[in-house]
Amino acid sequence: MEYKYDIDVESPFSPGKPVNPDYFIGRRNIISKILQRVGMAKNANVQHFYLTGSQGMGKTSIALYVEDYIRKNAKMQTIYYSNKNNDSLEVLLTKIMEGILNEFPKESIKSKAIKWFGENVSAIDIKLTKVEFKENKEISFDLIHDFPHYLELACEEFDKGIFLIIDDINGLSNSKEFPNWYKQFTDTLEANLDYNIPLYVLLVSYPEKFDMLVRTEPTFGRIFHYEQISKLSDEEVREFFINSFDKVQMTCTKDALDIMVYFSNGLPLMMQQIGDSIFWLNNNINNTITEKLAEEGIVDAANQIASKQIRPVLAHITEEEYMDILIKITQLGYEFKKSELKSCLNNDKKEVLDTFLNDMLDLNIFTNIDTNGKIFKFSNQLFYTYFLIRSIEKK
């Protein structure tokens, strides 16, 4: 069999990766709200911004775009750290300090490390142009209790100031240590007039993680300017697909566009994956995306999302009847009542309903939205959209 495949063709979509700013849709307002405070930060009026959004909403893409814009236009030194899977304040602060030291010219990294950490410098592994901290209680204690001092030292080198992004702060939301420390950190900056630090901090997490931090330390939320990224409108999603396919000289039929918009459910991650799956299934065979091709691409996108984004959770759903119930729920919507679900199940599935709901709560696929445990919703839009596509595939 002879294959005809254009190996030089490039997809205009980037599922699972930060989005090129050219493909931003419906996010300019949030970006503007972050950027409008840069001037105050550069004048040593320290700014704190908290960006939240459910999985797949494009939080990291926005953070990285803002980082690039500020580095180029405001000339601030940007430090980006992904805190994924970390629940230790000590690790967080040492990684931030590594990021700061690694931005210095390579010939001055060692001298700065010696000057800043003195006799504890032996706990810093300096390899050519890269610095890594070893486990050291003295340094960890010093960073926790005197972090503003080290930021001030850094700003002596970065005269335009520091823009610090801490992405995926989720793991630190389960303890009192982080919100208590952050509150103390900001209080120190405000109370000590000797500090003159041009600093902007952007934290990124899921909305519920922010809520947990506020419950732990109620004054934590008052520190930040806050924005939650919401789903895109159908019109914004439609514009995204039209513009993206247009870049590779492809058009979509109305029916194809309609189902692409519907199953994207306003999620940037799902939009990128659906577009990418359709693009490669088409493989430049023709310039028009048909409804049939769109359907095939949507099913493929669900498989891709399952394998890359929610596989650890799906692996725990071993009961086939559980999958059947999950698919059935999508007919009721993102939120549903237990009574409504029960009424549309067969008798054999009704018998396992209570166990099913408890298991889904344990897996964090569902959350309760009333005190009586009668109303549920999917914990994030990505789960709902995945099972919605599965329902169509099954049909």
Side-chain angles (χ1 to χ4, degrees):
M1 180 182 295
E2 182 180 352
Y3 288 92
K4 293 183 179 180
Y5 205 92
D6 186 351
I7 61 174
D8 294 320
V9 69
E10 292 186 30
S11 170
F13 304 96
S14 55
K17 298 179 181 178
V19 178
N20 185 305
D22 293 340
Y23 294 87
F24 273 138
I25 296 289
R27 302 305 192 211
R28 293 181 178 87
N29 185 45
I30 290 177
I31 292 170
S32 295
K33 288 183 178 181
I34 299 173
L35 293 177
Q36 69 190 15
R37 306 184 187 282
V38 172
M40 290 181 283
K42 290 181 69 175
N43 288 323
N45 181 355
V46 179
Q47 297 295 303
H48 308 270
F49 202 105
Y50 207 116
L51 181 66
T52 73
S54 299
Q55 186 177 4
M57 286 293 183
K59 301 181 294 298
T60 297
S61 293
I62 290 176
L64 291 177
Y65 171 76
V66 169
E67 179 197 25
D68 183 67
Y69 188 93
I70 289 175
R71 184 177 64 253
K72 291 177 179 177
N73 295 277
K75 307 302 180 185
M76 297 180 79
Q77 180 59 58
T78 60
I79 307 293
Y80 173 88
Y81 173 62
S82 175
N83 189 64
K84 190 172 185 178
N85 299 324
N86 173 50
D87 60 2
S88 164
L89 177 61
E90 290 86 349
V91 170
L92 171 67
L93 296 183
T94 54
K95 291 298 182 183
I96 292 172
M97 191 53 58
E98 284 177 7
I100 289 173
L101 286 170
N102 284 324
E103 291 298 331
F104 292 134
K106 62 180 180 180
E107 62 272 9
S108 65
I109 289 178
K110 187 172 183 179
S111 63
K112 290 291 187 300
I114 293 172
K115 179 181 178 181
W116 290 9
F117 296 101
E119 63 185 22
N120 291 317
V121 75
S122 60
I124 304 175
D125 194 7
I126 304 173
K127 298 178 180 177
L128 299 176
T129 60
K130 188 171 178 61
V131 169
E132 289 185 356
F133 282 81
K134 302 173 186 176
E135 187 173 341
N136 182 281
K137 290 184 178 180
E138 286 77 11
I139 288 181
S140 295
F141 181 87
D142 212 19
L143 289 175
I144 288 173
H145 291 86
D146 210 8
F147 196 62
H149 169 67
Y150 290 106
L151 289 177
E152 186 174 47
L153 290 176
C155 286
E156 291 176 1
E157 309 296 327
F158 309 134
D159 62 326
K160 300 296 184 183
I162 296 173
F163 182 70
L164 173 63
I165 300 172
I166 308 175
D167 198 358
D168 207 340
I169 208 75
N170 300 305
L172 289 165
S173 63
N174 297 317
S175 72
K176 294 182 178 180
E177 187 179 22
F178 175 70
N180 289 342
W181 172 83
Y182 201 94
K183 178 65 169 56
Q184 185 178 24
F185 163 63
T186 56
D187 286 346
T188 300
L189 292 178
E190 292 179 6
N192 193 332
L193 299 179
D194 292 334
Y195 284 124
N196 186 39
I197 304 175
L199 173 69
Y200 196 145
V201 182
L202 173 65
L203 303 185
V204 184
S205 80
Y206 297 145
E208 63 271 18
K209 300 301 182 181
F210 176 80
D211 295 341
M212 290 173 64
L213 289 166
V214 173
R215 283 196 296 271
T216 300
E217 171 50 70
T219 59
F220 178 82
R222 302 173 196 166
I223 298 169
F224 298 90
H225 303 287
Y226 175 90
E227 282 292 325
Q228 180 173 340
I229 307 174
S230 58
K231 294 197 306 178
L232 296 169
S233 69
D234 286 353
E235 194 53 45
E236 288 169 332
V237 177
R238 190 178 301 276
E239 178 188 348
F240 165 79
F241 280 122
I242 291 173
N243 292 345
S244 298
F245 280 115
D246 185 61
K247 289 180 183 294
V248 287
Q249 291 77 52
M250 292 182 184
T251 58
C252 306
T253 67
K254 181 183 181 303
D255 290 339
L257 260 179
D258 286 345
I259 63 172
M260 288 156 61
V261 170
Y262 178 73
F263 286 105
S264 293
N265 198 28
L267 300 179
L269 176 60
M270 187 60 75
M271 291 156 53
Q272 294 285 344
Q273 187 60 70
I274 285 176
D276 196 59
S277 292
I278 291 172
F279 176 82
W280 291 115
L281 284 173
N282 183 49
N283 188 27
N284 255 1
I285 294 173
N286 58 64
N287 294 327
T288 302
I289 306 300
T290 63
E291 182 179 9
K292 183 177 185 300
L293 180 60
E295 289 173 349
E296 293 173 357
I298 287 166
V299 171
D300 181 74
N303 291 328
Q304 295 292 331
I305 289 294
S307 64
K308 294 187 291 187
Q309 299 290 330
I310 57 178
R311 180 175 55 187
V313 176
L314 294 179
H316 291 282
I317 306 177
T318 56
E319 301 287 342
E320 185 175 343
E321 58 189 0
Y322 277 15
M323 187 63 72
D324 290 340
I325 297 174
L326 285 163
I327 290 172
K328 179 75 71 173
I329 288 172
T330 59
Q331 299 174 18
L332 303 175
Y334 182 63
E335 298 180 6
F336 60 94
K337 294 180 180 179
K338 180 180 177 180
S339 58
E340 293 174 336
L341 175 59
K342 188 173 183 178
S343 66
C344 65
L345 295 179
N346 297 328
N347 288 332
D348 58 336
K349 290 185 174 61
K350 288 179 182 178
E351 294 176 1
V352 300
L353 180 57
D354 288 337
T355 303
F356 163 80
L357 290 172
N358 288 331
D359 288 346
M360 295 304 104
L361 290 170
D362 289 343
L363 289 172
N364 196 35
I365 292 177
F366 295 161
T367 58
N368 270 134
I369 57 174
D370 76 327
T371 55
N372 296 320
K374 303 292 186 181
I375 305 176
F376 300 82
K377 71 174 182 178
F378 285 88
S379 62
N380 67 56
Q381 294 282 349
L382 202 57
F383 284 131
Y384 171 71
T385 305
Y386 170 76
F387 292 115
L388 185 64
I389 293 174
R390 281 280 170 259
S391 71
I392 302 303
E393 182 187 23
K394 190 168 184 177
K395 289 180 182 179

